[in-house]
Amino acid sequence: MAAGSWLSLLALAASSVVADSTCSAIRSLHPNLPLDLPSTLDYLEHQTEYWSTACGDLKPTCILQPKSTEEVVSIVKVLLQNNDTFAVKSGGHNPNNYFASVSGGPLISTKSLNDISIDNTTGTVRVGPGNRWDDISGALDGTGYTVVGGRIGNVGVGGYLLGGGLSFMSTEYGWAVNSILEYTLVLANATVITVSEQNHPDIFLALKGGGNIYGIVTSFLLQGYPQGDVWGGNLVFDANDDTTPKLLAALRDFTEYYPDEKAGIIMTAERTLGTLLDIWILFLYYNGPEPPAGVFDNFTAIAHTIDSTKTQSMNSLLSGNNWAVLKGSVYTIGTETTPVPSEEHGPEVLGALYDTWVNVSNTAALVPGVIASIAFQPMPKRIAQLSKQKGGDLLDLDDSVDRIIMELDYSFLFNSDYAKIDQTMQDTYNGLKDHVTGFQEQGKLASDVYLPLFMNDGFYRQDYFGRLRPEKKALASEVRDQLDPDGLWRDRTGGFKIL
């Protein structure tokens, strides 16, 4: 055998020893810490929890399930003794490979960090990152309390809160991070700090939308709010030349003239390209047994084929929205942001954004099983106002303009088509951004508008930190260097990085 081949085999063997070192060390040093190997049923079950099968196809050397902050500290101490790549997983809903999945290194599952405790005296709720939002809404059912959280029950708490968290309740209470009072954070040097606005103000601000670059959060203390039954569900529309312009106009008006702070929507277009099925699905929410007349009239007046709206508990609503989680396919996500156009220019601007999505998604029509989705998510000025009132966050939106966040999704059957969809996703969000810029240059959209990206919807190629205000990016970088000077989270796990 040639010398080069021997060297390659030796390098592969050496990397295998390193990759196994965390799992082996944990088994030796901490035999009571739950550890699942690839041969176990629990390991296989964990790998099926990802929304994207591409994440589940990445094979960690073992899955660690710490039950306490102290056990997370023990794991980090072992990681400091080797060069393993690793990942930390909450619910597994983020489809970006390596953000919460790993190949050839340990996966730290927070599934057993699932505390949910209510303090009736302070009106606060402490939750662990291993929960999903239907776990939390179920635990709060009947207590008279709610917390600002996800709109689909199956979404994991940890990733959602680290990315900012857009909620049905955001026009009442702000981003989900604006209602976080305290973090328990395991640092890269295997120490633990409790982070609040009072004791670590810079770290606290950086954590509110800074992702996973600062450490492992093992619990969140959330402000609770009073809540009883809610109203919500879905309306389904055919996406045709008559309905689509009406829906886009209703979206524009709803965002600018936001009729009621207790109301929330997501307006989503879905295309199953193989069968050319085009539909709109509107997610509706109202914090009360039923909405007052006029709140959703611009939408309900448009002819629709399905109406599942009803009065129900928050848990019922969130669990009912789990139909939108279509597991069993490879799945990607991306995002872009636009100012809300004026009523005069709304049809042209929103129509062009929708048409761009349609035209680019058509280029992937031959990919087996492909489904394309775009979600228009209102970001009225009120959310920015609430954020500032509550101390701000890393996104630091100003309240001078209304915005719409667009979430882009492609799901498809085979990982072998990932490269094609990767390019399609880039073409989609770049095409949307080009239109926004072009309309700004034409005076049809407000210019000189700050348009950050929403981390929870971001594609791994997008520069989340680069789209923040320069001073917020600088703060994020300074806190990262303070908490992780040797680059444990920067270099050895996935997620959005400061470039």
Side-chain angles (χ1 to χ4, degrees):
M1 185 177 289
S5 299
W6 278 112
L7 289 173
S8 297
L9 285 174
L10 287 171
L12 179 62
S15 67
S16 298
V17 171
V18 170
D20 286 334
S21 60
T22 298
C23 302
S24 301
I26 292 294
R27 293 188 77 178
S28 173
L29 298 172
H30 306 285
N32 294 323
L33 199 159
L35 182 153
D36 296 322
L37 294 172
S39 58
T40 64
L41 291 176
D42 284 345
Y43 178 102
L44 297 175
E45 181 181 351
H46 263 92
Q47 293 302 96
T48 65
E49 292 174 348
Y50 291 104
W51 285 19
S52 173
T53 57
C55 296
D57 287 345
L58 297 172
K59 301 304 182 186
T61 50
C62 68
I63 299 175
L64 304 168
Q65 297 186 61
K67 303 181 296 299
S68 66
T69 298
E70 291 72 27
E71 289 189 340
V72 174
V73 168
S74 297
I75 294 169
V76 174
K77 285 181 178 178
V78 171
L79 288 169
L80 290 172
Q81 302 305 311
N82 60 51
N83 294 313
D84 282 4
T85 56
F86 62 94
V88 182
K89 171 176 169 284
S90 172
H93 68 278
N94 190 299
N96 288 301
N97 291 336
Y98 303 103
F99 277 39
S101 53
V102 65
S103 179
L107 175 67
I108 303 168
S109 168
T110 64
K111 192 172 186 176
S112 295
L113 295 170
N114 59 355
D115 177 48
I116 306 172
S117 58
I118 306 167
D119 187 327
N120 289 300
T121 302
T122 61
T124 57
V125 183
R126 185 172 293 280
V127 303
N131 289 291
R132 299 176 190 270
W133 287 107
D134 45 16
D135 296 325
I136 293 176
S137 61
L140 295 179
D141 242 6
T143 66
Y145 283 107
T146 190
V147 292
V148 182
R151 299 166 295 183
I152 295 176
N154 196 250
V155 167
V157 166
Y160 171 92
L161 288 178
L162 291 175
L166 184 56
S167 173
F168 282 136
M169 296 175 280
S170 286
T171 45
E172 280 193 277
Y173 307 117
W175 298 96
V177 292
N178 299 140
S179 290
I180 299 176
L181 304 175
E182 183 181 285
Y183 301 80
T184 304
L185 181 66
V186 178
L187 301 177
N189 63 2
T191 63
V192 181
I193 60 173
T194 299
V195 181
S196 69
E197 188 172 23
Q198 291 71 39
N199 63 5
H200 295 290
D202 286 350
I203 300 173
F204 185 68
L205 185 60
L207 282 168
K208 293 196 289 182
N212 67 344
I213 64 173
Y214 303 116
I216 301 175
V217 177
T218 58
S219 78
F220 303 86
L221 182 65
L222 309 179
Q223 180 63 59
Y225 301 98
Q227 185 176 66
D229 282 344
V230 302
W231 177 93
N234 304 111
L235 298 180
V236 179
F237 308 79
D238 291 327
N240 53 51
D241 292 341
D242 179 57
T243 299
T244 293
K246 292 178 181 177
L247 284 169
L248 292 172
L251 166 77
R252 197 216 73 82
D253 291 349
F254 187 87
T255 307
E256 180 177 358
Y257 304 118
Y258 215 88
D260 193 319
E261 65 188 30
K262 295 179 179 294
I265 67 163
I266 316 170
M267 199 173 90
T268 303
E270 307 277 347
R271 310 184 70 225
T272 53
L273 303 180
T275 57
L276 297 180
L277 174 66
D278 285 10
I279 59 174
W280 286 95
I281 302 172
L282 184 68
F283 293 78
L284 296 135
Y285 163 86
Y286 189 81
N287 187 5
E290 61 181 49
V295 174
F296 297 116
D297 286 6
N298 284 356
F299 297 104
T300 57
I302 302 170
H304 45 277
T305 57
I306 295 174
D307 182 349
S308 68
T309 57
K310 61 183 180 180
T311 302
Q312 55 191 309
S313 69
M314 180 61 107
N315 179 246
S316 174
L317 176 67
L318 297 188
S319 298
N321 284 342
N322 282 338
W323 67 263
V325 183
L326 302 176
K327 293 185 179 180
S329 295
V330 186
Y331 163 49
T332 63
I333 191 170
T335 188
E336 192 46 70
T337 309
T338 181
V340 173
S342 66
E343 186 174 359
E344 176 188 1
H345 297 300
E348 180 183 2
V349 172
L350 294 178
L353 296 177
Y354 174 80
D355 289 344
T356 295
W357 168 72
V358 169
N359 293 334
V360 176
S361 65
N362 282 340
T363 66
L366 297 181
V367 173
V370 66
I371 300 173
S373 170
I374 182 170
F376 294 92
Q377 304 170 101
M379 285 297 298
K381 299 171 185 176
R382 178 171 171 80
I383 296 177
Q385 293 165 357
L386 289 166
S387 170
K388 290 183 181 298
Q389 291 170 16
K390 295 186 173 187
D393 49 60
L394 209 57
L395 275 174
D396 194 24
L397 290 179
D398 57 272
D399 61 3
S400 62
V401 65
D402 301 303
R403 299 169 176 84
I404 295 173
I405 292 175
M406 293 169 282
E407 176 190 336
L408 312 165
D409 301 290
Y410 288 97
S411 62
F412 50 102
L413 291 179
F414 305 117
N415 215 3
S416 56
D417 290 312
Y418 198 99
K420 166 59 181 171
I421 297 297
D422 188 306
Q423 186 60 55
T424 303
M425 177 62 81
Q426 293 179 69
D427 292 343
T428 305
Y429 61 70
N430 285 330
L432 295 173
K433 186 176 187 299
D434 288 345
H435 269 302
V436 170
T437 301
F439 283 124
Q440 288 177 316
E441 292 172 349
Q442 296 169 34
K444 296 177 180 178
L445 279 176
S447 59
D448 298 323
V449 174
Y450 170 54
L451 297 174
L453 298 175
F454 177 35
M455 178 183 281
N456 290 137
D457 291 347
F459 193 50
Y460 75 99
R461 292 185 181 276
Q462 294 185 283
D463 185 8
Y464 167 77
F465 288 99
R467 292 278 291 269
L468 295 177
R469 298 187 190 278
E471 63 271 22
K472 289 299 186 290
K473 179 181 178 181
L475 172 70
S477 181
E478 290 165 7
V479 172
R480 179 203 60 186
D481 293 345
Q482 172 193 346
L483 300 184
D484 187 21
D486 297 323
L488 177 65
W489 318 116
R490 182 192 66 215
D491 301 333
R492 291 169 55 187
T493 193
F496 291 105
K497 308 299 182 186
I498 303 174
L499 304 178

